[in-house]
Amino acid sequence: MSAKTDVKTYSGFKFMTLLCLVILYAPLIVVTVYSFNASKSITVWEGLSLRWYADVFVGPESGKFKQAAINSFVIAIVAATISTTIATLAATAIVRGGKFRLRTASLGLISLPLMVPEIVTAVALLIFYNSIGFDRGLLTILVAHIAFCIPFAYLPIQARMQGIEDTYEQAAMDLYATKAQAFRRVLLPLMMPGIISGFLLAFIVSLDDFIITNFVKGAGVETLPTAIFGSVKQGLKPNIMAISTMLLAVSIVMVTISYFVSKSDNTK
Amino acid sequence: MAGGAASGGSSAADTYAGARNWLLMPSWVVLIVFVLAPVCMMLIYSFLTKEFRGGVIWEFSLKAYDQFFCDRGLFGDEPCAIEWTYITIFWRSIWQAGAATILSLIIGFPTAYFIATRPERTRAMWVFLITIPYWVNLLIRTVSMKFLLRDQGPLNDFLISIGLIDSPLHIINTNLAVQLGLFYSYLPFMVLPIYASVERYNFALSEAAADLYATKWTTLRRILLPAVKPGVIAGCILVFVPSLGAFLAPDLLGGAKNFMIGSLIEEQFKGNAGNWPFGAAASMILLTMVLIILLIFARQQRKAEATS
Amino acid sequence: MKLLTQSAMALALMANTAAAEGDLVVYHWFEYMPQELLDKFTAETGINVTMDTYDSNEAMLASLKAGGMGTYDVAVPGDYMVAIMAGEGLLDTIADGELANKGNIAPEWADPSFDPGRTHSIPYQWGSTAFSVDTEAYSGDINTTDILFNPPAELSGKINMLDSQGEVMALASLHMGIPQCSSDREQLKALNEMLVNAKAHWASFNSDTAKEVLVSGDVAVGMIYDGFGAKARAEKASLQYAFPTQGYVVWMDNVVLLKDAPNRDNALKFMDFLLQPENIAAVSNYARYGAGVSGVGDFLDPELATLPEANPPATAGQGAFIEVCDEATQAVYDQIWTNVKK
């Protein structure tokens, strides 16, 4: 046993891991700390205050951010739901559909949004919407998000499904369950952890997207990232830091929930 | 992750073979209409005539590609010489993205390895620790990076206070700042695929090597690395490709002084230039480059699978 | 699934309210309109204002041409951009009598070359573009364009330029004493060479943070608009706005009526609102620029009259508007800009 851990451990790797975490978290900690700064200037520390949090909800820009937050969450929920559904169906066909001619092509198509650089997708969609005369607004953002969220939803779902032996469904069908029943009652519940992580991944990707949204959004339609960009370009302001800190808190809560969901699943 | 999707599953279960086409239909429709068709449309636009100040005229023209590859002087009337302007911009992007990738690998590999060798109970927690920062908007992370790196920013203050340096390091608005920004933006993308392959690695191999008196570093180089190579390559691609087309980091951290591919393309549609066919052509060239890189990767992966 | 339908409904609802009556969609520069004034407009007329912002004339034009037409009612282009947009057919014509307060336009701005007879636009604000220098970092003469294009050693590497092709090119032309839309090859070559060499002295191109980088001390010289310069000086007293002897850029931003405006009547109400001295003075007090409307004097912050940024010294060169070049000439200027930024 001691020999085994010895083989596994490399001195210095732990240090690198800690360094990695420091690098990842340092900017976030700075943002969090300065969001409680009483000063209007971000460069001067004037003591603890919650004024910027109040500013987010009642300040002059609160209306804009509220609308942007609603847009962002609505788009992220709808886009993640639709793309997860599409991805689940596709994964079922690809993992449980036997060998077929278009299998590789289907996989290639699904991973296309991952392979095409975001700026290229953004330009292509701008040109496309423009040439078919699709008026830009929330709907154009939503459709774009559904498309590029599909591979993010797909990957965890496929990974999960590959880990499930098809004997479960076979057994169900031996007991005279229809294919649809086997899918709904056996495969789907087993796949739930994969579907949930696929949904969450798609949700974050949609919530976080700036480049594509910025190219396809309509007049006055803002999502949180574009609204933040509008403000942040003129310099990091304390109210933006407060928003970021709150978003970070939301993220941590969601991540923690999904952590316990997957944990409880493992103990089953 | 791209590699994961491309290799698909090898199981030949065919429970739903009959419903296959119906199951695939939604993904095909959405992706063909909203990804493939737009890219084709962009290809067409790159061969159209530019309209002064944005937009296109529906007339075939090779002008966009000519502008990219041919230097015809300041006034556009000299014979075609090699155009270095855009080669320089592309080369700079490749170099910046490459440096960011190597930095990520240096930090990301040990991290991924360390996490994968933790007891199974705590692994998920480590993975979450790595992914949480990614949940914060990229813009905010980039801007806070800018804040951190300023001449009078917290990083310099800290380094001066511990006596490591005397005068502030000038990082902001340099290439290094862009590299650090890209590295920071995509670091989790490097860690996760490597983690996934190290986790699947059979440590009995390392033990066997140790039994044969291989040193630990030899084992790492000769046994572990080849085994987890697909994860490493996938991680590199996931950092390199988005870095290549980035425009936030060069804009915010690099002072918008030197174009990178992403900012060059953006300028054609949103900025001063308003040259759509050229923007479309530059996008096509970028896309071709990325696809070639992925193709080489996929071929190597297949070769590696065939020999192992 | 229930969540999905609910979200879809919410989405549809939001799309509807945006098109409802009583709205106005303004496409505007960032940080250029006090929120209180918009609130006042809404209180007076019951019209809801949606505002989207941009950071350069060119970005605004690009966005409008890329499918933004028909969604915005009014925009606020600079002088030369009004002429360009009119030439592109993006502007609607304001018929005689449609604007009740048109007579309030100050005589000197009533018939400008970029919009003869004011058929598409009304004045918003006017000012100048030059640069501010931190006098703590440099004590020499600042009223020369050499500060930007041929800086003394102590300022090299501490200069921020506006990321705006038109303004940089215009100031560079003034620096060299050549016309703005020159077609003289030798002049253009010299301009190209001068800019490429000058770039080695520049730290960054930033329009949005032009003020912030000066105040924070990240740079010692920054190209800036006069009102922004005044705001910067308010935050850091050692910053001084320069009026180069070679000349400087003057501009006027104008509210234009866009073609296919979804709320044309409301747009006209908005323009009338901004032609009332009291209202446009509120913009001047906020943005620290001049208003192009008669009778604003009573409503202006008294400080504005003596603002150093708005009162050029006797040594100052001529102020020049940015000129609109033809397509062939513009292609050369675009090439120079690419050479600078490559």
Side-chain angles (χ1 to χ4, degrees):
Chain A
M1 192 65 205
S2 64
K4 192 180 171 189
T5 47
D6 189 40
V7 174
K8 279 188 176 183
T9 333
Y10 286 88
S11 58
F13 276 25
K14 189 175 185 177
F15 171 78
M16 291 300 246
T17 308
L18 294 178
L19 182 66
C20 178
L21 289 177
V22 169
I23 293 170
L24 284 174
Y25 281 89
L28 303 183
I29 290 168
V30 167
V31 165
T32 307
V33 169
Y34 275 85
S35 72
F36 294 103
N37 187 358
S39 166
K40 195 179 173 181
S41 155
I42 55 159
T43 47
V44 190
W45 179 262
E46 277 178 13
L48 278 176
S49 158
L50 285 174
R51 67 181 275 207
W52 300 113
Y53 288 85
D55 185 80
V56 170
F57 292 103
V58 296
E61 290 186 306
S62 59
K64 177 178 134 190
F65 283 119
K66 198 174 131 201
Q67 190 57 51
I70 294 173
N71 288 349
S72 264
F73 278 94
V74 170
I75 289 173
I77 290 171
V78 178
T81 309
I82 297 179
S83 59
T84 310
T85 311
I86 292 175
T88 309
L89 298 179
T92 311
I94 286 170
V95 182
R96 290 286 202 266
K99 286 197 176 356
F100 57 100
R101 218 154 26 97
L102 287 175
R103 196 161 177 273
T104 316
S106 300
L107 276 168
L109 194 62
I110 287 171
S111 35
L112 197 61
L114 284 179
M115 299 193 277
V116 180
E118 235 186 324
I119 181 90
V120 177
T121 311
V123 165
L125 278 169
L126 174 79
I127 287 175
F128 179 69
Y129 285 147
N130 209 54
S131 59
I132 62 169
F134 197 158
D135 271 349
R136 293 179 306 159
L138 277 178
L139 200 61
T140 47
I141 305 178
L142 179 65
V143 170
H145 282 215
I146 291 172
F148 76 73
C149 283
I150 289 177
F152 291 96
Y154 178 84
L155 290 173
I157 295 173
Q158 179 191 283
R160 177 78 189 178
M161 203 186 286
Q162 276 168 348
I164 303 169
E165 299 279 337
D166 68 333
T167 44
Y168 293 108
E169 298 137 79
Q170 297 299 346
M173 284 189 285
D174 287 347
L175 297 169
Y176 303 104
T178 63
K179 278 186 181 175
Q181 281 172 329
F183 178 77
R184 220 177 51 235
R185 299 277 181 78
V186 181
L187 187 57
L188 216 50
L190 283 171
M191 270 173 27
M192 244 339 142
I195 292 177
I196 290 173
S197 39
F199 176 88
L200 285 175
L201 199 56
F203 181 82
I204 320 168
V205 167
S206 164
L207 198 64
D208 195 48
D209 179 73
F210 166 72
I211 296 180
I212 294 175
T213 311
N214 190 36
F215 267 77
V216 301
K217 81 187 182 75
V221 179
E222 302 278 0
T223 64
L224 267 182
T226 61
I228 289 172
F229 187 62
S231 296
V232 117
K233 274 191 306 179
Q234 299 134 46
L236 195 51
K237 290 177 189 164
N239 60 341
I240 299 294
M241 293 188 175
I243 292 180
S244 318
T245 308
M246 285 187 283
L247 277 177
L248 181 63
V250 170
S251 310
I252 291 174
V253 169
M254 284 188 74
V255 170
T256 316
I257 292 172
S258 82
Y259 174 60
F260 283 111
V261 165
S262 63
K263 211 173 163 191
S264 67
D265 176 78
N266 284 342
T267 52
K268 237 188 316 202
Chain B
M1 270 189 247
S7 60
S10 52
S11 84
D14 57 358
T15 321
Y16 303 102
R20 197 161 60 202
N21 292 342
W22 292 108
L23 293 170
L24 279 173
M25 182 97 79
S27 51
W28 274 77
V29 170
V30 170
L31 291 166
I32 287 178
V33 175
F34 292 104
V35 181
L36 210 54
V39 170
C40 295
M41 195 55 115
M42 187 175 75
L43 179 66
I44 296 173
Y45 265 51
S46 72
F47 289 105
L48 294 180
T49 308
K50 85 159 188 172
E51 194 185 331
F52 189 35
R53 305 185 204 286
V56 287
I57 301 164
W58 281 83
E59 263 168 46
F60 176 80
S61 161
L62 283 172
K63 199 88 188 274
Y65 291 94
D66 184 274
Q67 182 183 344
F68 195 95
F69 293 108
C70 278
D71 179 4
R72 296 184 185 278
L74 199 52
F75 307 101
D77 53 3
E78 290 165 31
C80 179
I82 297 178
E83 172 63 279
W84 289 102
T85 307
Y86 304 110
I87 296 179
T88 312
I89 292 170
F90 269 62
W91 173 246
R92 176 184 305 121
S93 305
I94 293 171
W95 157 244
Q96 301 277 60
T101 308
I102 291 168
L103 263 174
S104 316
L105 187 60
I106 292 172
I107 302 275
F109 183 86
T111 307
Y113 182 90
F114 181 80
I115 294 174
T117 52
R118 291 307 90 198
E120 212 169 329
R121 270 179 311 113
T122 57
R123 263 180 233 165
M125 188 203 73
W126 281 100
V127 170
F128 282 135
L129 271 181
I130 295 291
T131 43
I132 282 174
Y134 185 70
W135 283 62
V136 176
N137 192 279
L138 177 61
L139 269 166
I140 293 170
R141 282 183 289 142
T142 309
V143 176
S144 49
M145 192 78 177
K146 178 176 175 174
F147 178 64
L148 199 67
L149 293 179
R150 291 179 52 229
D151 286 2
Q152 287 94 358
L155 179 71
N156 273 315
D157 286 353
F158 173 73
L159 290 177
I160 291 173
S161 73
I162 62 166
L164 211 61
I165 51 173
D166 295 328
S167 57
L169 293 174
H170 185 68
I171 304 175
I172 201 73
N173 295 336
T174 64
N175 282 344
L176 179 65
V178 178
Q179 289 159 14
L180 286 175
L182 293 174
F183 151 74
Y184 176 59
S185 304
Y186 303 115
L187 181 57
F189 285 173
M190 179 65 85
V191 176
L192 295 179
I194 299 182
Y195 159 76
S197 28
V198 177
E199 202 190 22
R200 278 200 300 268
Y201 172 71
N202 181 0
F203 277 95
L205 291 171
S206 293
E207 281 164 42
D211 290 344
L212 297 171
Y213 303 105
T215 66
K216 271 164 78 173
W217 291 104
T218 314
T219 312
L220 176 80
R221 212 176 61 238
R222 305 289 289 271
I223 312 287
L224 176 71
L225 264 186
V228 301
K229 195 169 141 200
V232 173
I233 295 178
C236 289
I237 286 180
L238 285 177
V239 176
F240 187 75
V241 170
S243 299
L244 209 53
F247 74 84
L248 284 179
D251 220 47
L252 294 170
L253 296 168
K257 246 192 320 184
N258 298 111
F259 277 137
M260 281 187 38
I261 305 175
S263 27
L264 177 73
I265 294 173
E266 205 234 355
E267 177 98 348
Q268 308 305 321
F269 293 92
K270 303 224 132 200
N272 291 313
N275 188 342
W276 286 29
F278 181 70
S283 302
M284 278 320 295
I285 294 166
L286 171 62
L287 182 60
T288 313
M289 239 166 64
V290 168
L291 290 181
I292 288 174
I293 294 170
L294 291 174
L295 215 65
I296 293 173
F297 160 63
R299 188 165 288 180
Q300 279 202 335
Q301 190 110 323
R302 220 173 302 140
K303 228 187 276 170
E305 269 165 28
T307 53
S308 68
Chain C
M1 217 49 198
K2 199 178 159 203
L3 190 62
L4 179 66
T5 31
Q6 276 176 351
S7 317
M9 274 169 61
L11 206 66
L13 272 175
M14 278 190 292
N16 279 340
T17 49
E21 274 184 10
D23 280 327
L24 177 72
V25 189
V26 179
Y27 200 24
H28 207 334
W29 292 83
F30 65 91
E31 220 175 279
Y32 203 6
M33 171 72 98
Q35 183 64 42
E36 302 80 51
L37 195 63
L38 286 180
D39 293 345
K40 185 181 171 198
F41 177 69
T42 304
E44 279 181 15
T45 60
I47 296 168
N48 274 318
V49 183
T50 309
M51 196 155 78
D52 200 4
T53 60
Y54 53 87
D55 60 7
S56 79
N57 280 310
E58 287 73 16
M60 183 258 306
L61 178 68
S63 169
L64 287 178
K65 287 199 77 173
M69 291 304 290
T71 47
Y72 301 100
D73 297 303
V74 295
V76 192
D79 42 83
Y80 70 100
M81 192 50 73
V82 175
I84 290 174
M85 289 170 79
E88 295 272 320
L90 300 178
L91 303 183
D92 201 353
T93 304
I94 306 166
D96 276 340
E98 279 197 295
L99 282 179
N101 296 334
K102 197 172 178 182
N104 290 357
I105 299 176
E108 66 270 32
W109 296 112
D111 190 26
S113 59
F114 52 82
D115 184 16
R118 287 281 180 194
T119 52
H120 306 294
S121 71
I122 61 158
Y124 187 68
Q125 298 273 282
W126 66 272
S128 67
T129 309
F131 50 90
S132 282
V133 181
D134 187 346
T135 49
E136 266 175 20
Y138 180 69
S139 51
D141 175 26
I142 65 164
N143 289 320
T144 163
T145 46
D146 279 336
I147 297 278
L148 291 180
F149 299 109
N150 186 20
E154 60 258 53
L155 293 178
S156 178
K158 292 178 185 163
I159 300 170
N160 177 55
M161 301 296 285
L162 290 177
D163 198 359
S164 160
Q165 181 178 341
E167 269 145 335
V168 173
M169 290 289 182
L171 214 49
S173 301
L174 290 170
H175 173 69
M176 301 192 68
I178 59 175
Q180 279 187 43
C181 289
S182 173
S183 50
D184 181 307
R185 294 194 162 208
E186 292 313 311
Q187 288 179 350
L188 286 166
K189 275 184 197 163
L191 179 68
N192 181 52
E193 196 180 333
M194 189 281 287
L195 280 169
V196 169
N197 290 335
K199 186 202 174 183
H201 302 292
W202 298 340
S204 54
F205 286 90
N206 258 319
S207 297
D208 323 279
T209 52
K211 184 184 81 173
E212 202 211 38
V213 288
L214 280 167
V215 173
S216 69
D218 286 353
V219 295
V221 178
M223 218 176 134
I224 202 162
Y225 314 109
D226 60 335
F228 238 36
K231 284 185 170 184
R233 183 172 50 82
E235 290 179 44
K236 187 175 187 181
S238 60
L239 291 170
Q240 198 183 334
Y241 186 74
F243 282 98
T245 52
Q246 293 90 337
Y248 54 93
V249 175
V250 290
W251 47 262
M252 167 166 262
D253 288 331
N254 309 271
V255 182
V256 294
L257 182 60
L258 292 170
K259 193 153 255 175
D260 306 328
N263 312 290
R264 191 174 186 277
D265 291 344
N266 293 349
L268 291 170
K269 280 183 195 153
F270 185 64
M271 292 168 114
D272 260 336
F273 177 80
L274 286 176
L275 282 173
Q276 285 168 18
E278 185 187 349
N279 297 330
I280 199 68
V283 177
S284 287
N285 289 338
Y286 170 80
R288 320 304 274 176
Y289 299 113
V293 170
S294 310
V296 289
D298 296 343
F299 303 101
L300 285 180
D301 183 345
E303 214 183 273
L304 283 180
T306 55
L307 211 60
E309 286 79 6
N311 294 287
T315 56
Q318 283 284 319
F321 278 103
I322 293 176
E323 287 169 27
V324 182
C325 309
D326 62 49
E327 186 169 358
T329 314
Q330 189 59 43
V332 182
Y333 280 90
D334 287 350
Q335 182 64 46
I336 294 176
W337 185 247
T338 307
N339 289 343
V340 170
K341 291 200 67 172
K342 77 177 172 194

